[in-house]
Amino acid sequence: MRPTDTSNPDYFHRVVDCQWACPAHTPVPEYIRMIGQGRYADAYMVNWVSNVFPGILGRTCDRPCEPACRRGRVEENNGQKAEPVAICRLKRVAADMKGDVKARMPTIVPFNGKRVACVGAGPASLTVARDLAPLGYEVTVFDGEAKAGGFIRSQIPRFRLPESVIDEETGYIFDLGVKFRHGERVDSMRELLTRHYDAVFVGCGAPRGRNLDIPGRQEAAENIHIGIDWLASVSFGHITEIAPRVIVLGGGNTAMDCCRSARRLGGSDVKVIVRSGFDEMKASPWEKEDAQHEGIPILNFHVPLRFEHESGKLTGMSFDVVKAEYDKNGKRTLVSTGQPEVFVACDVVLIAVGQENAFPWIEVETGIAFDHWGLPVLNEHSFQSTRPEVFFGGDSAFGPKNIITAVAHGHGAAISIDRFLNKQDVNQRPAPHVTISSQKMGIHEWSYDNAISDDHRFKVPWAKAETALANIRVEVELGFDAATAFKEANRCLNCDVQTVFTRETCIECDACVDICPVDSITFTTNGDEGDLRKRLKAPTLNLAQSLYVSAELKTGKIMVKDEDVCLHCGLCAERCPTGAWDMRKFLLITSQAGNARLGGKVKEPA
Amino acid sequence: MTYLTKPHLHHPTLTRNKVGYTRRDYEGKISTLCAGCGHDSISAAIIQACWELDIEPHRVAKMSGIGCSSKTPDYFLGASHGFNTVHGRMPSVLTGANLANRDLLYLGISGDGDSASIGLGQFANAMRRGVRMAYIVENNGVYGLTKGQFSATADRGSKSKKGVINKESAVDLVGIALQLGATYVGRSFSGDKEQLVPLIKGALGHGGAAFIDVISPCVTFNNHSGSTKSYDYVREHNEAVNRIDFMVTHSEITTSYAPGEVTDVPQHDGSMLRLRKLHADYDPTDRLAAMNYMNERHSFGEVLTGLLYVDSHASDLHSALNTSRIPLNALGVKELTPGSAVLEKINAGLR
Ligand SMILES: Cc1cc2nc3c(=O)[nH]c(=O)nc-3n(C[C@H](O)[C@H](O)[C@H](O)COP(=O)(O)OP(=O)(O)OC[C@H]3O[C@@H](n4cnc5c(N)ncnc54)[C@H](O)[C@@H]3O)c2cc1C
Ligand SMILES: Cc1ncc(C[n+]2csc(CCOP(=O)(O)OP(=O)(O)O)c2C)c(N)n1
Ligand code: SF4
Ligand code: SF4
Ligand code: SF4
Ligand SMILES: [Mg+2]
């Protein structure tokens, strides 16, 4: 292999599993350390810069960072008890304990002469607004609803996310001088384009719930609801109760929110019924757990056949029981088991079988093209549509995803809009800001806490079931207290503190090899990657993590480090007699509109 | 040194040996030696060897004298018996322990100062008596612990860190061991685990006095250009006469070699050392020839390493003295105090 090029920002970034996995590339270990030091406001601001909604995301994020977290690969009995750091819930700690951060927010700057319209006040649009307003753009956000937040406000139930948190974090954006035209739905893109906006961002989400058109649907319509519409009505207080026996169809996160909401509004016999197997359900594992924890059974492998009714009054549903069969390519089909139909009695059905995009308000003659799935034709990096001054992001861009993806799109689109309005090429994407700095303070002292905690993941305490189920506005999770947050923060391995190897000073004494608790380091003769991976001190399990390879050393061998399960404990650097290993903090902040940096390289300190 | 305890987390694939332990279970406390000290690599090799041999840690007694090298038993085999004795006196304490309990595996750890300076007599007599043990000298040519004075193994003409030339001739521990009847003699280098680990395994399985001289650079006091015990010097002058390829019972040997390329040496525990020759004319079972060869090569400035001599019919002190088969701590009151009649008989025999 050729010596590793660590000046490419991606190299060390990939080692920081959580940050790499986060769509907005939040510098996770950086803020976790701050939480450990009690610097909650600092931790909040690190988050706020990257993901705009730390308090909201600290409760609701889909947390792609957690399955990626290295801790989940290295704990005892790996794979069985191993658990990632509670990254998401630590974010909430920062938000809950930060105190007043208003003074840390950007200030309003003079108008730069350019106007931007955002359609929809969901997280994607609000991110665009947050990034552009401090640069002097006049940003106007339109939404048909009375309050900002998009699905965050209308869909996510209050027992997971109190409204005060939404008010606070959307408020910081409007404090930047962003104009909010609430209650104003945009009904015509053609007309919007005639107003004097220099660019338009479409962040209207994927607002249409998929229907289930099977026999009985029309006749029993009165007691059958589309999940996301029903949740919105619950959020806005139009619906405050439900009949006792409820079936929720679907296996995604919407289904989980529907069933748990129904439990709180009078549903005493609530069931989730899903076509697929339990394990293939789209809902996150923790959401399924939470639902089951509240006494909601999940019936899997049941394909809906009919809504049953007595002269228009819903009585229940019939299902075919299926099993999964896989063909040679691993493609799954659900085939009937031939068992008799199953009838499940109920009073109400909530259909939560997916969402669709809908753009009835964007006219063909605007020149904005859509593909055959009804999604806008976009450049996937710049979010630019076929009409140059119109950009898309969030669920409206590539179909329903989640909040953090919407935020990441918002940042990307804001960069594009800023470049576009400055007559720069939107296809040229800026590189991240990266710094790398030694953490060495004394002979064996580092400016990060390199001791490895043996603690297992701490559980977030819950409100008592009786109180939580009695009122839909009672938040279920109580959040970590400061002492538990400290311990949970200590579980983080500081994967951003990189092991940096200097070939010139290595004397090949093997001290690092001997001390490494996870057998990461090998000195051996060079070969191609596949060959090297077979000759390391410990087997390589994870091809997604790189091998760090030096140029040839004095004896003709090379140093190879498998980055996969390195604990970043710094012992290799402590045991190295010549300082050939050093622990250096790699801080990567993605470029945002106004501070974009092109063609960046990681600079090693001299 | 490092202040942290070594993290308990380990590689996910770490496997257990036949007696149910991972390699990490054979570790001890975290080392307090200087970063980069060769001694730490030897500890790692001992850990690896014991794990590979499926040794139950409580069946091992590790003994040492005084010195950086003699501190190392604290850094491996944390669950074994240990005795950090007096400077140069490890061999006699170990001999006593061995006489009392022949069922344990004895690992003697010493330094060149500990064994060639103050403890030379002890070393020589342990070899002479054939005490069954794996005697490892971690040889750095200096008294590391007392700040780097030349030890008795420092080569004549080599330079101290301060630039002083050593005018005295060196004690050749390997030569003495051979001369006095050690039945397993090897030399190795702390920076070559591929050679060292099998050598240690062979020594632990050997039926008599096994001695390994391991050149182990002292990074702090003796790893400079005038030293003959530095990483660079040893790498440049190292000449391996052979390699132990593996140690197995006879029936497991499957790899085939051309005739004359290998020597199979049976060990007392029924296992087999397979030696792959690197110097065609070197025969490690011929003591005299081995001594001559070594002296000759030494005069060319070569540091010969490998298994230098092995006698597969080795016997030990217990058979020479015809001692009790059963460890003393397992004998009953009846055997240990056989009564005045027996005493009378013994006394009569001495008159
Ligand atoms: C039940 C449910 C629960 C969810 N839970 C989570 C969760 O826990 N975590 C998570 O990360 N994600 C969750 N999601 C997904 C997440 O809410 C969305 O991915 C995210 O909100 C998308 O953001 P967005 O900015 O693209 O649009 P949205 O949040 O959908 O906002 C779009 C806004 O645009 C407005 N709008 C639409 N058309 C127009 C128009 N023509 N003119 C003016 N305004 C318009 C809408 O009124 C809406 O307010 C959930 C989704 C659902 C349905
Ligand atoms: C009886 C006695 N004399 C002298 C000393 C001082 N002393 C301690 S260690 C040592 C030399 C150790 O050298 P070596 O065995 O080579 O060990 P190293 O530190 O080099 O590994 C000496 C002379 C002592 N501890 N006890
Ligand atoms: S251990 Fe910490 S830095 Fe490493 S992946 Fe997990 S949260 Fe991120
Ligand atoms: S920091 Fe160094 S010693 Fe610690 S796990 Fe990583 S490679 Fe091993
Ligand atoms: S002084 Fe020398 S022998 Fe002692 S620990 Fe340091 S490097 Fe090793
Ligand atoms: Mg010494």
Side-chain angles (χ1 to χ4, degrees):
Chain A
M1 284 178 80
R2 297 173 59 89
T4 302
D5 175 15
T6 56
S7 69
N8 177 349
D10 277 357
Y11 181 77
F12 284 139
H13 189 182
R14 200 186 290 267
V15 174
V16 196
D17 294 279
C18 48
Q19 185 174 11
W20 180 258
C22 173
H25 302 310
T26 306
V28 175
E30 177 78 353
Y31 82 72
I32 291 184
R33 273 190 300 273
M34 290 171 172
I35 291 170
Q37 295 160 1
R39 292 164 57 195
Y40 305 117
D42 291 342
Y44 184 84
M45 292 312 294
V46 166
N47 271 290
W48 190 79
V49 168
S50 291
N51 56 51
V52 193
F53 304 104
I56 292 169
L57 288 164
R59 292 166 166 86
T60 61
C61 188
D62 252 359
R63 30 174 153 150
C65 54
E66 290 194 18
C69 171
R70 165 165 290 137
R71 186 94 201 177
R73 300 198 294 274
V74 297
E75 278 192 357
E76 215 64 61
N77 300 330
N78 309 67
Q80 294 169 27
K81 271 193 300 182
E83 291 233 54
V85 175
I87 302 172
C88 181
R89 276 12 180 198
L90 284 171
K91 194 191 308 291
R92 172 178 169 176
V93 169
D96 285 358
M97 305 195 187
K98 66 185 181 301
D100 189 352
V101 290
K102 281 219 174 71
R104 294 169 176 249
M105 294 294 169
T107 42
I108 298 181
V109 297
F111 179 42
N112 71 5
K114 300 266 167 36
R115 293 184 171 84
V116 177
C118 293
V119 183
S125 284
L126 293 180
T127 301
V128 171
R130 205 251 358 221
D131 286 1
L132 293 182
L135 305 179
Y137 291 96
E138 182 191 283
V139 185
T140 309
V141 178
F142 294 89
D143 199 304
E145 302 294 344
K147 291 181 173 177
F151 270 17
I152 294 175
R153 177 128 14 211
S154 67
Q155 294 293 316
I156 300 182
R158 298 292 177 260
F159 59 85
R160 288 209 283 132
L161 176 63
E163 195 157 20
S164 56
V165 181
I166 312 175
D167 290 340
E168 179 193 333
E169 292 193 331
T170 53
Y172 292 139
I173 294 162
F174 294 117
D175 289 348
L176 299 172
V178 172
K179 298 198 164 114
F180 185 28
R181 304 266 284 268
H182 54 90
E184 230 180 279
R185 220 190 111 79
V186 175
D187 286 318
S188 162
M189 177 62 103
R190 181 170 17 94
E191 190 272 331
L192 181 66
L193 290 170
T194 62
R195 303 195 213 167
H196 299 289
Y197 294 109
D198 300 289
V200 173
F201 175 78
V202 180
C204 66
R208 192 182 282 167
R210 207 170 273 144
N211 193 12
L212 185 66
D213 204 7
I214 54 173
R217 174 69 179 93
Q218 241 98 65
E219 296 82 334
E222 199 183 326
N223 290 313
I224 302 170
H225 310 291
I226 299 289
I228 63 168
D229 298 342
W230 182 80
L231 281 172
S233 302
V234 172
S235 275
F236 298 136
H238 307 320
I239 289 178
T240 52
E241 56 183 34
I242 196 165
R245 296 175 307 163
V246 183
I247 291 179
V248 176
L249 296 175
N253 295 347
T254 307
M256 298 302 112
D257 281 341
C258 284
C259 69
R260 295 179 71 197
S261 296
R263 270 297 266 133
R264 286 162 168 78
L265 296 182
S268 48
D269 172 12
V270 181
K271 292 187 184 75
V272 171
I273 304 185
V274 50
R275 295 164 54 94
S276 72
F278 183 81
D279 294 333
E280 298 103 71
M281 286 169 62
K282 285 214 180 91
S284 336
W286 54 87
E287 292 203 85
K288 293 193 273 186
E289 260 168 46
D290 292 351
Q292 290 176 312
H293 184 88
E294 293 181 347
I296 300 163
I298 298 176
L299 275 62
N300 65 355
F301 290 128
H302 279 56
V303 172
L305 294 174
R306 283 180 307 281
F307 294 97
E308 306 289 358
H309 59 99
E310 274 164 23
S311 38
K313 185 167 184 323
L314 184 73
T315 56
M317 286 191 73
S318 296
F319 298 88
D320 183 24
V321 182
V322 295
K323 59 182 182 208
E325 272 178 11
Y326 297 86
D327 68 10
K328 281 196 298 288
N329 307 321
K331 195 177 161 333
R332 186 201 67 169
T333 36
L334 294 171
V335 294
S336 178
T337 56
Q339 290 171 28
E341 282 179 15
V342 171
F343 172 77
V344 181
C346 70
D347 307 311
V348 190
V349 172
L350 301 176
I351 304 176
V353 295
Q355 273 162 261
E356 287 165 341
N357 290 78
F359 301 95
W361 55 281
I362 300 183
E363 299 86 348
V364 183
E365 63 269 29
T366 56
I368 300 170
F370 290 86
D371 64 18
H372 57 274
W373 293 290
L375 288 172
V377 175
L378 304 175
N379 175 310
E380 59 172 315
H381 302 294
S382 67
F383 304 94
Q384 193 174 38
S385 74
T386 48
R387 177 157 176 142
E389 76 273 37
V390 178
F391 300 81
F392 284 70
D395 286 357
S396 72
F398 309 108
K401 299 261 159 41
N402 52 36
I403 302 167
I404 190 66
T405 305
V407 168
H409 290 177
H411 288 314
I415 289 173
S416 299
I417 293 169
D418 184 44
R419 291 182 68 76
F420 176 75
L421 297 181
N422 283 298
K423 311 228 169 338
Q424 293 163 326
D425 179 6
V426 296
N427 293 315
Q428 202 180 354
R429 305 307 291 178
H433 299 260
V434 251
T435 53
I436 185 157
S437 53
S438 177
Q439 300 298 288
K440 203 172 179 71
M441 296 211 302
I443 297 185
H444 299 113
E445 262 183 302
W446 307 99
S447 46
Y448 74 109
D449 179 7
N450 62 327
I452 305 294
S453 158
D454 284 337
D455 284 338
H456 288 283
R457 182 180 169 116
F458 292 88
K459 293 215 160 39
V460 179
W462 276 33
K464 282 214 179 62
E466 311 89 80
T467 9
L469 291 179
N471 184 344
I472 197 158
R473 283 169 202 273
V474 169
E475 190 173 13
V476 174
E477 288 194 10
L478 303 176
F480 287 130
D481 58 25
T484 316
F486 173 76
K487 287 196 247 164
E488 184 62 32
N490 272 350
R491 292 182 67 241
C492 172
L493 300 171
N494 302 291
C495 301
D496 59 338
V497 181
Q498 307 284 349
T499 55
V500 178
F501 183 73
T502 308
R503 165 187 166 268
E504 287 67 30
T505 37
C506 173
I507 58 167
E508 301 177 66
C509 69
D510 267 8
C512 53
V513 178
D514 295 335
I515 196 68
C516 178
V518 285
D519 303 329
S520 293
I521 305 167
T522 309
F523 287 85
T524 186
T525 47
N526 206 345
D528 61 37
E529 180 167 349
D531 165 49
L532 269 180
R533 280 189 183 271
K534 282 192 228 113
R535 292 192 278 119
L536 301 184
K537 188 164 180 214
T540 57
L541 300 171
N542 180 5
L543 300 184
Q545 279 290 339
S546 325
L547 298 184
Y548 182 12
V549 173
S550 78
E552 205 167 89
L553 299 156
K554 230 179 194 172
T555 62
K557 293 183 179 171
I558 55 164
M559 187 291 301
V560 192
K561 180 192 167 211
D562 183 1
E563 299 280 12
D564 183 24
V565 292
C566 168
L567 304 174
H568 300 262
C569 64
L571 288 183
C572 47
E574 290 193 17
R575 298 305 309 180
C576 178
T578 64
W581 285 105
D582 191 21
M583 304 305 293
R584 297 188 191 161
K585 186 174 92 177
F586 169 84
L587 183 61
L588 178 143
I589 314 264
T590 40
S591 283
Q592 293 182 351
N595 68 15
R597 180 167 167 268
L598 294 174
K601 283 221 161 200
V602 182
K603 270 207 278 322
E604 299 263 346
Chain B
M1 62 174 267
T2 304
Y3 299 98
L4 291 181
T5 48
K6 188 161 166 176
H8 298 121
L9 300 180
H10 56 68
H11 195 273
T13 63
L14 208 59
T15 48
R16 293 181 183 280
N17 62 10
K18 287 196 187 116
V19 289
Y21 298 110
T22 67
R23 193 186 76 244
R24 298 266 328 258
D25 293 329
Y26 290 83
E27 290 177 353
K29 294 206 191 91
I30 198 150
S31 168
T32 59
L33 302 184
C34 303
C37 177
H39 299 351
D40 279 335
S41 284
I42 302 175
S43 298
I46 293 170
I47 289 166
Q48 181 74 27
C50 290
W51 179 78
E52 286 178 14
L53 286 175
D54 304 313
I55 288 174
E56 292 170 303
H58 67 279
R59 304 307 305 159
V60 180
K62 42 176 191 174
M63 311 270 180
S64 62
I66 298 291
C68 298
S69 36
S70 293
K71 281 171 72 179
T72 62
D74 209 19
Y75 315 138
F76 57 78
L77 294 174
S80 298
H81 308 281
F83 197 152
N84 192 194
T85 73
V86 193
H87 200 14
R89 268 63 178 176
M90 175 276 285
S92 52
V93 178
L94 189 145
T95 305
N98 187 317
L99 283 172
N101 185 350
R102 58 156 70 184
D103 281 357
L104 297 182
L105 279 171
Y106 288 92
L107 183 55
I109 302 292
S110 183
D112 42 318
D114 199 56
S115 281
S117 301
I118 193 170
L120 187 61
Q122 298 251 327
F123 163 73
N125 283 294
M127 294 296 109
R128 220 187 104 243
R129 288 181 178 138
V131 182
R132 192 182 160 207
M133 68 191 293
Y135 193 137
I136 296 176
V137 167
E138 310 191 342
N139 186 353
N140 53 17
V142 288
Y143 302 160
L145 194 70
T146 54
K147 304 280 171 282
Q149 303 83 350
F150 283 125
S151 79
T153 65
D155 287 307
R156 192 206 293 265
S158 64
K159 237 188 236 167
S160 78
K161 197 175 178 180
K162 284 251 166 84
V164 180
I165 306 277
N166 178 34
K167 302 204 179 78
E168 292 152 18
S169 58
V171 168
D172 175 14
L173 291 173
V174 160
I176 297 176
L178 279 171
Q179 205 162 36
L180 295 181
T183 44
Y184 181 106
V185 178
R187 189 187 282 126
S188 189
F189 170 45
S190 65
D192 184 359
K193 287 206 192 63
E194 271 166 50
Q195 183 188 51
L196 182 55
V197 172
L199 262 184
I200 295 173
K201 286 167 74 179
L204 285 167
H206 185 67
F211 174 71
I212 312 174
D213 177 29
V214 189
I215 301 174
S216 173
C218 169
V219 279
T220 303
F221 298 113
N222 206 14
N223 192 39
H224 46 83
S225 56
S227 164
T228 58
K229 302 272 192 291
S230 66
Y231 282 107
D232 286 348
Y233 184 91
V234 180
R235 285 201 174 106
E236 250 159 58
H237 297 82
N238 190 345
E239 264 301 315
V241 292
N242 52 26
R243 285 271 170 187
I244 299 184
D245 270 10
F246 41 72
M247 226 190 85
V248 285
T249 54
H250 213 296
S251 57
E252 291 174 58
I253 296 178
T254 49
T255 328
S256 56
Y257 288 90
E261 212 184 326
V262 293
T263 319
D264 284 343
V265 184
Q267 290 274 81
H268 102 118
D269 61 357
S271 66
M272 184 72 76
L273 291 180
R274 171 152 285 189
L275 287 176
R276 185 162 43 90
K277 285 189 184 173
L278 297 179
H279 285 203
D281 45 352
Y282 192 81
D283 176 7
T285 61
D286 182 338
R287 197 164 66 96
L288 278 178
M291 287 169 77
N292 285 337
Y293 192 81
M294 288 217 323
N295 286 334
E296 183 187 308
R297 288 312 185 103
H298 182 73
S299 63
F300 299 139
E302 285 178 6
V303 180
L304 281 201
T305 58
L307 181 56
L308 303 172
Y309 174 66
V310 59
D311 172 4
S312 52
H313 305 297
S315 65
D316 80 336
L317 183 60
H318 283 281
S319 36
L321 295 182
N322 192 23
T323 54
S324 161
R325 286 239 132 258
I326 303 166
L328 302 190
N329 64 8
L331 293 175
V333 179
K334 211 167 104 249
E335 291 85 23
L336 289 171
T337 53
S340 47
V342 178
L343 184 63
E344 270 310 316
K345 224 175 119 188
I346 294 173
N347 282 342
L350 296 173
R351 277 187 199 108

